């Protein structure tokens, strides 16, 4: 009488099962983290007209890790006192106290109007206050 499963079939099934479990756990870990918060202007003034661009930096060496390019810049009309935002971090990074999100408010011609930053903390909003840039 021939068995339904022989040793070779059992080994193939075990290998396929292990590969499937490994690939699903990597897929779950590769989901990008979402960072959200609000942007305000110093002194509770309206945020000037321009576009908000976000990038990510490390706290220790102040190197620019990544401009969060996959997120479209937000537009300020000059009439808002507060703007809510949400950006996706690169898949390899997780929010930690070593990372800082930096917001730059730029005019249409690229000149910097204001800048602000906030430390990232897991599961907490990163509220940024913009300060006017002095040239």
């Amino acid at each position: 009488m021939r068995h339904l499963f022989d040793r070779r079939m059992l080994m193939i099934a075990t290998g396929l099962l292990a590969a499937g479990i490994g690939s699903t756990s990597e897929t779950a870990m590769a989901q990008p983290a979402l960072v959200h918060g609000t942007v305000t202007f110093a002194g509770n003034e309206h945020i000037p007209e321009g576009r908000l661009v976000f990038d990510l930096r490390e706290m220790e060496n102040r190197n620019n890790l990544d401009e969060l390019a996959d997120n479209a810049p937000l537009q300020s009309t000059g009439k808002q006192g507060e703007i809510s935002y949400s950006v996706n971090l690169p898949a390899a990074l997780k929010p930690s106290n070593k990372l800082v999100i930096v917001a730059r408010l730029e005019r249409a011609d690229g000149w910097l109007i204001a800048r602000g930053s906030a430390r990232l903390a897991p599961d907490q909003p990163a509220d940024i206050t913009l300060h006017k840039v002095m040239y």
Side-chain angles (χ1 to χ4, degrees), residues 7 24 28 31 35 54 68 70 76 79-80 90 104 121 123 129:
R7 181 182 171 146
T24 57
Q31 298 296 323
V35 175
F54 297 94
L68 302 173
D70 63 334
S76 172
K79 298 177 182 175
Q80 301 127 313
R104 297 186 323 262
D123 301 325
T129 301

PDB file of all heavy atoms in Angstrom, residues 7 24 28 31 35 54 68 70 76 79-80 90 104 121 123 129:
ATOM      1  N   ARG A   7       8.287  11.000   2.655  1.00  0.00           N
ATOM      2  CA  ARG A   7       9.224  11.916   3.308  1.00  0.00           C
ATOM      3  C   ARG A   7       9.523  13.142   2.438  1.00  0.00           C
ATOM      4  O   ARG A   7       9.582  14.255   2.904  1.00  0.00           O
ATOM      5  CB  ARG A   7      10.502  11.168   3.648  1.00  0.00           C
ATOM      6  CG  ARG A   7      11.509  12.022   4.348  1.00  0.00           C
ATOM      7  CD  ARG A   7      12.764  11.248   4.620  1.00  0.00           C
ATOM      8  NE  ARG A   7      13.760  12.179   5.099  1.00  0.00           N
ATOM      9  CZ  ARG A   7      14.657  11.893   5.977  1.00  0.00           C
ATOM     10  NH1 ARG A   7      14.697  10.689   6.488  1.00  0.00           N
ATOM     11  NH2 ARG A   7      15.536  12.780   6.340  1.00  0.00           N
ATOM     12  N   THR A  24       5.310  36.614   4.940  1.00  0.00           N
ATOM     13  CA  THR A  24       4.209  37.422   5.476  1.00  0.00           C
ATOM     14  C   THR A  24       4.670  38.277   6.633  1.00  0.00           C
ATOM     15  O   THR A  24       4.198  39.392   6.796  1.00  0.00           O
ATOM     16  CB  THR A  24       3.036  36.535   5.938  1.00  0.00           C
ATOM     17  OG1 THR A  24       3.506  35.604   6.909  1.00  0.00           O
ATOM     18  CG2 THR A  24       2.394  35.820   4.778  1.00  0.00           C
ATOM     19  N   ALA A  28       4.464  42.443   6.727  1.00  0.00           N
ATOM     20  CA  ALA A  28       3.835  43.193   7.815  1.00  0.00           C
ATOM     21  C   ALA A  28       4.804  44.196   8.413  1.00  0.00           C
ATOM     22  O   ALA A  28       4.418  45.292   8.797  1.00  0.00           O
ATOM     23  CB  ALA A  28       3.345  42.233   8.894  1.00  0.00           C
ATOM     24  N   GLN A  31       5.450  47.749   6.379  1.00  0.00           N
ATOM     25  CA  GLN A  31       4.448  48.795   6.265  1.00  0.00           C
ATOM     26  C   GLN A  31       5.015  50.113   6.800  1.00  0.00           C
ATOM     27  O   GLN A  31       5.593  50.141   7.875  1.00  0.00           O
ATOM     28  CB  GLN A  31       3.197  48.419   7.071  1.00  0.00           C
ATOM     29  CG  GLN A  31       2.521  47.168   6.579  1.00  0.00           C
ATOM     30  CD  GLN A  31       1.992  47.324   5.168  1.00  0.00           C
ATOM     31  OE1 GLN A  31       1.514  48.376   4.783  1.00  0.00           O
ATOM     32  NE2 GLN A  31       2.094  46.266   4.394  1.00  0.00           N
ATOM     33  N   VAL A  35       3.261  59.383  10.549  1.00  0.00           N
ATOM     34  CA  VAL A  35       3.503  60.433  11.532  1.00  0.00           C
ATOM     35  C   VAL A  35       2.497  61.538  11.260  1.00  0.00           C
ATOM     36  O   VAL A  35       2.298  61.941  10.115  1.00  0.00           O
ATOM     37  CB  VAL A  35       4.943  60.986  11.413  1.00  0.00           C
ATOM     38  CG1 VAL A  35       5.158  62.145  12.348  1.00  0.00           C
ATOM     39  CG2 VAL A  35       5.948  59.894  11.665  1.00  0.00           C
ATOM     40  N   PHE A  54       8.358  68.630   4.268  1.00  0.00           N
ATOM     41  CA  PHE A  54       8.818  67.910   5.449  1.00  0.00           C
ATOM     42  C   PHE A  54      10.022  67.058   5.099  1.00  0.00           C
ATOM     43  O   PHE A  54      10.082  66.455   4.036  1.00  0.00           O
ATOM     44  CB  PHE A  54       7.706  67.001   5.981  1.00  0.00           C
ATOM     45  CG  PHE A  54       6.497  67.752   6.433  1.00  0.00           C
ATOM     46  CD1 PHE A  54       5.436  67.948   5.579  1.00  0.00           C
ATOM     47  CD2 PHE A  54       6.420  68.283   7.700  1.00  0.00           C
ATOM     48  CE1 PHE A  54       4.308  68.641   5.970  1.00  0.00           C
ATOM     49  CE2 PHE A  54       5.302  68.982   8.118  1.00  0.00           C
ATOM     50  CZ  PHE A  54       4.251  69.164   7.252  1.00  0.00           C
ATOM     51  N   LEU A  68      10.930  63.654   2.697  1.00  0.00           N
ATOM     52  CA  LEU A  68       9.769  62.783   2.579  1.00  0.00           C
ATOM     53  C   LEU A  68       9.050  63.109   1.280  1.00  0.00           C
ATOM     54  O   LEU A  68       8.003  63.728   1.247  1.00  0.00           O
ATOM     55  CB  LEU A  68       8.877  62.947   3.807  1.00  0.00           C
ATOM     56  CG  LEU A  68       9.606  62.638   5.116  1.00  0.00           C
ATOM     57  CD1 LEU A  68       8.742  62.986   6.294  1.00  0.00           C
ATOM     58  CD2 LEU A  68      10.037  61.209   5.172  1.00  0.00           C
ATOM     59  N   ASP A  70       7.655  61.248  -1.031  1.00  0.00           N
ATOM     60  CA  ASP A  70       6.439  60.576  -1.478  1.00  0.00           C
ATOM     61  C   ASP A  70       5.183  61.270  -0.959  1.00  0.00           C
ATOM     62  O   ASP A  70       4.081  60.949  -1.359  1.00  0.00           O
ATOM     63  CB  ASP A  70       6.446  59.110  -1.071  1.00  0.00           C
ATOM     64  CG  ASP A  70       6.468  58.925   0.443  1.00  0.00           C
ATOM     65  OD1 ASP A  70       6.959  59.831   1.137  1.00  0.00           O
ATOM     66  OD2 ASP A  70       5.992  57.876   0.904  1.00  0.00           O
ATOM     67  N   SER A  76      -0.149  76.476   2.135  1.00  0.00           N
ATOM     68  CA  SER A  76      -0.739  77.397   3.097  1.00  0.00           C
ATOM     69  C   SER A  76      -1.279  78.598   2.333  1.00  0.00           C
ATOM     70  O   SER A  76      -0.584  79.171   1.492  1.00  0.00           O
ATOM     71  CB  SER A  76       0.313  77.847   4.112  1.00  0.00           C
ATOM     72  OG  SER A  76      -0.203  78.871   4.913  1.00  0.00           O
ATOM     73  N   LYS A  79      -4.180  82.162   5.552  1.00  0.00           N
ATOM     74  CA  LYS A  79      -5.346  82.481   6.376  1.00  0.00           C
ATOM     75  C   LYS A  79      -5.550  81.486   7.519  1.00  0.00           C
ATOM     76  O   LYS A  79      -6.431  81.674   8.333  1.00  0.00           O
ATOM     77  CB  LYS A  79      -6.598  82.506   5.501  1.00  0.00           C
ATOM     78  CG  LYS A  79      -6.530  83.565   4.430  1.00  0.00           C
ATOM     79  CD  LYS A  79      -7.729  83.518   3.533  1.00  0.00           C
ATOM     80  CE  LYS A  79      -7.583  84.570   2.430  1.00  0.00           C
ATOM     81  NZ  LYS A  79      -8.657  84.485   1.461  1.00  0.00           N
ATOM     82  N   GLN A  80      -4.737  80.428   7.557  1.00  0.00           N
ATOM     83  CA  GLN A  80      -4.909  79.414   8.590  1.00  0.00           C
ATOM     84  C   GLN A  80      -3.978  79.681   9.766  1.00  0.00           C
ATOM     85  O   GLN A  80      -2.848  80.126   9.593  1.00  0.00           O
ATOM     86  CB  GLN A  80      -4.594  78.013   8.032  1.00  0.00           C
ATOM     87  CG  GLN A  80      -5.452  77.630   6.863  1.00  0.00           C
ATOM     88  CD  GLN A  80      -4.608  77.197   5.681  1.00  0.00           C
ATOM     89  OE1 GLN A  80      -3.653  77.855   5.332  1.00  0.00           O
ATOM     90  NE2 GLN A  80      -4.993  76.100   5.066  1.00  0.00           N
ATOM     91  N   PRO A  90       9.803  56.424   5.690  1.00  0.00           N
ATOM     92  CA  PRO A  90      10.316  55.318   4.872  1.00  0.00           C
ATOM     93  C   PRO A  90      10.141  54.004   5.625  1.00  0.00           C
ATOM     94  O   PRO A  90      10.192  53.958   6.860  1.00  0.00           O
ATOM     95  CB  PRO A  90      11.794  55.670   4.699  1.00  0.00           C
ATOM     96  CG  PRO A  90      11.851  57.150   4.862  1.00  0.00           C
ATOM     97  CD  PRO A  90      10.783  57.489   5.856  1.00  0.00           C
ATOM     98  N   ARG A 104       9.599  72.949   6.602  1.00  0.00           N
ATOM     99  CA  ARG A 104      10.079  74.206   6.001  1.00  0.00           C
ATOM    100  C   ARG A 104       8.928  74.852   5.248  1.00  0.00           C
ATOM    101  O   ARG A 104       8.255  74.188   4.458  1.00  0.00           O
ATOM    102  CB  ARG A 104      11.225  73.923   5.026  1.00  0.00           C
ATOM    103  CG  ARG A 104      12.444  73.328   5.646  1.00  0.00           C
ATOM    104  CD  ARG A 104      13.600  73.203   4.653  1.00  0.00           C
ATOM    105  NE  ARG A 104      13.210  72.839   3.301  1.00  0.00           N
ATOM    106  CZ  ARG A 104      13.251  71.607   2.821  1.00  0.00           C
ATOM    107  NH1 ARG A 104      13.622  70.608   3.568  1.00  0.00           N
ATOM    108  NH2 ARG A 104      12.904  71.363   1.572  1.00  0.00           N
ATOM    109  N   ALA A 121       8.037  60.674  18.523  1.00  0.00           N
ATOM    110  CA  ALA A 121       7.817  59.716  19.604  1.00  0.00           C
ATOM    111  C   ALA A 121       6.786  58.703  19.112  1.00  0.00           C
ATOM    112  O   ALA A 121       5.824  59.077  18.449  1.00  0.00           O
ATOM    113  CB  ALA A 121       7.320  60.418  20.852  1.00  0.00           C
ATOM    114  N   ASP A 123       3.673  56.598  18.573  1.00  0.00           N
ATOM    115  CA  ASP A 123       2.238  56.722  18.891  1.00  0.00           C
ATOM    116  C   ASP A 123       1.855  58.068  19.496  1.00  0.00           C
ATOM    117  O   ASP A 123       0.888  58.155  20.245  1.00  0.00           O
ATOM    118  CB  ASP A 123       1.786  55.591  19.821  1.00  0.00           C
ATOM    119  CG  ASP A 123       2.023  54.230  19.203  1.00  0.00           C
ATOM    120  OD1 ASP A 123       1.875  54.120  17.971  1.00  0.00           O
ATOM    121  OD2 ASP A 123       2.358  53.295  19.941  1.00  0.00           O
ATOM    122  N   THR A 129       6.102  73.967  15.631  1.00  0.00           N
ATOM    123  CA  THR A 129       5.904  75.411  15.632  1.00  0.00           C
ATOM    124  C   THR A 129       6.920  76.027  14.679  1.00  0.00           C
ATOM    125  O   THR A 129       8.134  75.805  14.831  1.00  0.00           O
ATOM    126  CB  THR A 129       6.102  75.997  17.050  1.00  0.00           C
ATOM    127  OG1 THR A 129       5.160  75.379  17.917  1.00  0.00           O
ATOM    128  CG2 THR A 129       5.886  77.497  17.038  1.00  0.00           C
TER     129      THR A 129
END
